[in-house]
Amino acid sequence: MARTSYNTFVSLSKADRNGLNEPEGRAELLQHSRKGDTAKGKQYRRPSDDDYLLLKVTAFLSAVGILWVLAHTNLTQRAPSHQWSGDIEGTSFLDHEKSIGTFSGKSFLRHNIPFIDIPDSLIQDVYYYRWTSIQRNLRYIRAGTGYMCTEFVQPVGYAQAFGSIDAAAGHQIDESRWLRDTFYGDDYIQLYTRGPADALQYTQWILDATSRRAMVTGDSQFFSAQLNDMIRIWHEWDQVFDPAAGLYYYQPVWDAQELSLPGFVADPNGTDWTLRKDGPDTFRPSHNAYMVANARAISRAAVIAHDRFNEHLFSKLADDLEAAMYKRMWAPEQQFFMDIIRPNNPSLTRLTGREQVGLFPYRFGIGLNESYTQPAVDAMFDPEGFLAPYGPTTLEIRDPWFMAVRPDDYCCYWNGMSWPYSTGHTLKSLAEIYRSGTTNVTAEQYYQYLQMYARTQQKNGQPYVAESHYPFLDTWSADGWNHSEHYDHSTNNDDVITGLLGIIPQQGNTLKISPIVPRSWTYFALENLPYHGHLVTVLYDKHGSRYKSGRGLTVFVDGRKVYNGHQKSALIPIPPPIPPNEALINIAANPAGPSQYPTAEATFTNSGDFQYKAIDGVLFYDSIPDNRWTNYGSPNTNDTLTITFARPRNITSVTLALYSDIARGGGVDVPARIEIYGSNGLLVMVNDPSSLLPNDRNELRFGQVETQFVAVNMYRKSSKLWVGICELEVWTPPNLGPVHYAADAYLTGGETKVIFDNTSTTTSNGAVVGGLKSDSNVAFSGIMSNGGWTTAIISYSNAGNTTVEMGIEVNQVPQKRLYLPPSKGKYVDITATIVLASGKNYVSIRGGSDFVDAKLESLSLF
């Protein structure tokens, strides 16, 4: 079959100009006059008259072959990047479909989440909803880089690389560690340890969360491989360490808590808004507890890596910092860990107001003896302390600066509001205190706090989470339209799993079960929990009548009963960890925006939508916030969305996350028919709309083809219904090298982009990267290595008369300067020796010349 260009198939969806009265399925191959791109060895252009005749014949042949295509179409509804071994089976005691029946994206939920059954419908409903909140905030960045977790589903201006914000990254890692597919967490962690995400923007406990996540996945190799990167992140904080105090300081605003007590104390008369909002440099219990936990995580990684020096060094750093916290921050007269304002305070006098951050250290194992824990519990349950109907509050209610109602339209007050971010910390502290056995706190009181949290996470009678909540009013205090919806800034499900239901991950081949449930509960279940690569089901059935699998506590591993006992707690042997399969990569995702490849074009786009959103890596199905391309309002019977790659790619499937809002009173639904075209013509067709899942992924498979574009031509069901796509994904095996194409890299810089050069033969269409200026960065991610010295060969062209200087970084650490001599416009190689880490690496080639025309062709690693 004749090879046809992307520009031809853009026209496929243009309906006959007579409109919707034409017979369904008719599509005209219309000519366009815009000049196409020229590529080496091939002409990617608009069709001539002769081409048009050929294309009519091609279309006819494709139509003749429809029955063959239908016979060979493999339509599945699943998340195509699954890692989980097909040999592992769980149990089916609970009704999974009923639990997720009202949610979109069911294939993700069905495959990934552990299911629960408890006597509290409020907590249970919030639990299932919060998995959809995580699902909405998972963003696929780029092939090789993989997934990250966002905080706002709509990007905010102060976000860092790819929309990342490190403030809640520890919460997000804690929460997502219970997803069955481990690549969500692996990718996100490496975005900080090796990628360009900023781990110094806000205070964070990312390293600690990484350590505790390894106890869930059982993948100690991945964890220990991050050791050098973790140490680098730790030392980035040296600049805010005060040796005299032995503590770290930061402005509260960068502790993710603006308008908190230190700012009001520093600016009592309200004359300096910036000082009041941001706060002065402050030694905070939260930040210093994070650093203690991060140091101990490094020490644990060093143990696995057999690095005794760093094992002992970071253990001592943690111990010294914890000792300084007791010495400086614990206030005997207030029985609490307190803030200390640093400027103009040589004696390090502590503040007198008790803030919720003083409760955070306990969750990290700090202060777990009676003299510290009992006052904390007393404060948590004191109506003049932190206890409120929609609490806990971020500042004690008795404090003169406590604010129960937000006084203006500024979003974020941390001197009284109830913040899920802080509630997640507090619930974990309360669980640690309870299990320490040092206080009079009861399981019923932990349940009270968790139920209070679930009651807070409501809106219009449905589970919902936003930024902050009034402590005494049943309404959110920060909930911006098209901004705060399903805000991922906290944990909830991790608190249900590890706190309430008592799953205590272990480093060895054991699972500790120690629930904190009320004595009155006669049953609870946690089904198909991923743990060390296995599926674990925990059932407690006092009388044996609910699950009919025995009285008391019963545990299944991979579908096989391994334990039954009368007590609610147990220590269960677990088989050795099973490593995950290698995840596929999505070559259609583009985080760089519509000016870079892959590109998205459509024959019609609703004015309120954007075709680029179909490949931006963000996937959710809400009306508001919006995240989709639709042809709503199009006069055509069918329209085409076309994704063009920088170079031809070998593909075997296309996944369409189809949008439908008809159940919400809208006018968009799944198509009546879908045709997918590539460079050689029709790839696959779906002619039965009943086989398509609305608001879910639909994977369409076909035999392997090489194509530079994917054109999805979709037909409307009727004149009153249109079609839409929330995300188009193309999943392929990862590139294991040795050649990595510059055209596939993540490109930044004012003029840096893919261009087509017919003197280059590395790719079939001459795709290279040009516009290499001083601000350029060509970033290759997902480069696999066993670690160690590696020869890097950079293929480049320098058309100027002077040498171009660039630099090569590995995992954000500069390693070599590169000098690219003039090559008279030819592509030549330059060699450098670099050190790669074990696992996936992020290799960046930075710089260029503002005066010389230089191009990059490829990076080869041997």
Side-chain angles (χ1 to χ4, degrees), residues 46 60 74 128 156 230 271 281 308 447 473 660 704 797:
R46 300 291 181 182
F60 172 75
N74 187 351
Y128 285 115
V156 293
M230 294 167 72
T271 58
D281 285 339
R308 292 184 62 82
Y447 171 56
L473 302 175
S660 174
Q704 180 172 298
S797 168

Side-chain angles (χ1 to χ4, degrees), residues 627-662:
N627 169 54
R628 59 188 174 267
W629 164 81
T630 76
N631 72 338
Y632 185 84
S634 172
N636 306 320
T637 57
N638 52 296
D639 278 299
T640 297
L641 175 71
T642 303
I643 309 305
T644 303
F645 308 115
R647 63 181 179 89
R649 307 299 294 265
N650 290 318
I651 67 173
T652 59
S653 70
V654 173
T655 298
L656 305 177
L658 296 173
Y659 179 70
S660 174
D661 63 3
I662 58 170

Side-chain angles (χ1 to χ4, degrees), residues 738-740 783 785 788-794 808 815-816 830-836 859-862:
V739 179
H740 301 272
I783 293 179
S785 172
W789 292 100
T790 302
T791 299
I793 301 175
I794 297 94
I808 187 165
Q815 288 206 8
K816 288 288 178 68
I830 186 172
T831 301
T833 302
I834 59 175
V835 178
L836 296 180
L859 168 69
S860 300
L861 298 165
F862 298 93

Side-chain angles (χ1 to χ4, degrees), residues 84-85 88-91 111-113 180 527-537 555-560 574 578:
W84 204 253
S85 170
I88 297 175
E89 295 184 359
T91 60
H111 170 74
N112 265 294
I113 72 169
R180 196 176 303 180
E527 185 164 56
N528 295 340
L529 179 85
Y531 184 74
H532 288 205
H534 303 278
L535 290 178
V536 175
T537 293
V555 179
F556 292 79
V557 176
D558 298 336
R560 185 174 62 89
I574 294 290
I578 299 177

Side-chain angles (χ1 to χ4, degrees), residues 219-437:
D219 192 348
S220 59
Q221 182 177 356
F222 173 85
F223 173 51
S224 63
Q226 313 300 314
L227 176 60
N228 290 335
D229 309 288
M230 294 167 72
I231 292 172
R232 174 181 57 81
I233 290 175
W234 166 273
H235 284 299
E236 288 180 352
W237 290 95
D238 290 348
Q239 60 186 295
V240 292
F241 181 72
D242 185 331
L247 297 170
Y248 291 85
Y249 60 89
Y250 225 38
Q251 289 180 287
V253 66
W254 302 118
D255 195 33
Q257 299 190 20
E258 61 265 56
L259 287 165
S260 57
L261 182 63
F264 286 91
V265 172
D267 180 42
N269 298 317
T271 58
D272 187 338
W273 166 251
T274 300
L275 177 59
R276 174 170 281 201
K277 176 176 67 70
D278 295 351
D281 285 339
T282 305
F283 302 107
R284 308 204 85 198
S286 47
H287 182 196
N288 284 275
Y290 303 160
M291 295 302 290
V292 170
N294 285 337
R296 290 192 171 130
I298 294 173
S299 182
R300 285 192 288 270
V303 170
I304 299 170
H306 306 293
D307 182 344
R308 292 184 62 82
F309 174 79
N310 280 307
E311 173 193 348
H312 293 296
L313 172 62
F314 280 90
S315 179
K316 185 176 188 307
L317 287 171
D319 291 345
D320 290 347
L321 183 54
E322 183 176 0
M325 289 182 65
Y326 293 133
K327 178 181 179 180
R328 305 287 190 185
M329 293 185 153
W330 180 258
E333 70 283 1
Q334 298 182 82
Q335 299 274 283
F336 216 72
F337 288 105
M338 307 297 293
D339 271 357
I340 304 170
I341 292 177
R342 184 172 184 256
N344 306 313
N345 187 15
S347 61
L348 300 182
T349 301
R350 294 177 288 266
L351 295 184
T352 57
R354 300 201 295 185
E355 302 166 272
Q356 195 177 5
V357 291
L359 300 171
F360 293 5
Y362 302 97
R363 67 155 294 185
F364 300 107
I366 299 169
L368 291 179
N369 64 59
E370 184 176 2
S371 60
Y372 299 103
T373 55
Q374 190 61 56
V377 170
D378 293 341
M380 286 186 208
F381 291 92
D382 184 349
E384 290 298 312
F386 298 99
L387 188 65
Y390 303 99
T393 62
T394 48
L395 180 66
E396 276 200 310
I397 296 165
R398 63 169 54 88
D399 192 276
W401 289 110
F402 173 78
M403 194 174 292
V405 178
R406 198 166 54 122
D408 52 40
D409 61 358
Y410 187 79
C411 65
C412 306
Y413 281 81
W414 289 79
N415 65 331
M417 300 300 106
S418 173
W419 281 81
Y421 172 92
S422 291
T423 303
H425 278 305
T426 301
L427 277 165
K428 287 177 172 58
S429 288
L430 186 56
E432 289 296 320
I433 291 171
Y434 173 85
R435 292 191 173 111
S436 73

Side-chain angles (χ1 to χ4, degrees), residues 1-250:
M1 185 178 293
R3 176 178 285 268
T4 312
S5 74
Y6 139 76
N7 293 319
T8 298
F9 284 104
V10 163
S11 67
L12 275 171
S13 71
K14 289 294 187 182
D16 186 279
R17 290 305 187 251
N18 291 328
L20 290 165
N21 295 323
E22 287 299 306
E24 184 180 60
R26 178 177 178 182
E28 295 290 331
L29 296 175
L30 303 178
Q31 298 182 70
H32 291 260
S33 60
R34 184 165 63 89
K35 184 177 180 181
D37 294 329
T38 300
K40 184 178 185 294
K42 300 180 180 70
Q43 295 295 319
Y44 292 93
R45 55 180 174 77
R46 300 291 181 182
S48 65
D49 290 341
D50 290 339
D51 291 331
Y52 180 67
L53 179 60
L54 176 61
L55 292 172
K56 293 290 284 185
V57 174
T58 300
F60 172 75
L61 292 174
S62 295
V64 171
I66 282 175
L67 290 177
W68 182 91
V69 171
L70 288 175
H72 290 79
T73 296
N74 187 351
L75 174 62
T76 59
Q77 291 84 32
R78 64 184 180 90
S81 51
H82 290 172
Q83 294 178 294
W84 204 253
S85 170
D87 298 331
I88 297 175
E89 295 184 359
T91 60
S92 55
F93 291 98
L94 307 182
D95 186 342
H96 299 180
E97 295 305 309
K98 181 179 179 181
S99 299
I100 63 174
T102 61
F103 300 126
S104 300
K106 291 183 181 62
S107 61
F108 168 89
L109 299 170
R110 190 179 294 119
H111 170 74
N112 265 294
I113 72 169
F115 291 80
I116 67 169
D117 179 39
I118 60 176
D120 189 304
S121 60
L122 182 68
I123 293 175
Q124 183 165 297
D125 289 348
V126 170
Y127 172 87
Y128 285 115
Y129 158 73
R130 284 299 299 263
W131 285 126
T132 74
S133 173
I134 290 175
Q135 181 184 13
R136 288 174 170 96
N137 284 277
L138 291 171
R139 180 184 187 184
Y140 195 91
I141 300 170
R142 195 173 186 88
T145 309
Y147 279 94
M148 63 163 288
C149 199
T150 61
E151 184 174 314
F152 298 91
V153 293
Q154 301 284 27
V156 293
Y158 59 85
Q160 302 297 298
F162 307 120
S164 60
I165 303 172
D166 71 328
H171 279 326
Q172 293 159 343
I173 294 167
D174 283 334
E175 200 86 333
S176 64
R177 64 181 174 157
W178 299 111
L179 294 174
R180 196 176 303 180
D181 286 327
T182 61
F183 51 75
Y184 296 114
D186 290 348
D187 293 344
Y188 190 35
I189 287 166
Q190 291 197 132
L191 188 64
Y192 284 101
T193 59
R194 296 182 178 179
D198 186 356
L200 196 66
Q201 182 185 15
Y202 290 91
T203 62
Q204 41 76 14
W205 61 103
I206 293 172
L207 309 185
D208 168 72
T210 299
S211 172
R212 286 180 291 100
R213 180 178 176 277
M215 297 181 195
V216 172
T217 65
D219 192 348
S220 59
Q221 182 177 356
F222 173 85
F223 173 51
S224 63
Q226 313 300 314
L227 176 60
N228 290 335
D229 309 288
M230 294 167 72
I231 292 172
R232 174 181 57 81
I233 290 175
W234 166 273
H235 284 299
E236 288 180 352
W237 290 95
D238 290 348
Q239 60 186 295
V240 292
F241 181 72
D242 185 331
L247 297 170
Y248 291 85
Y249 60 89
Y250 225 38

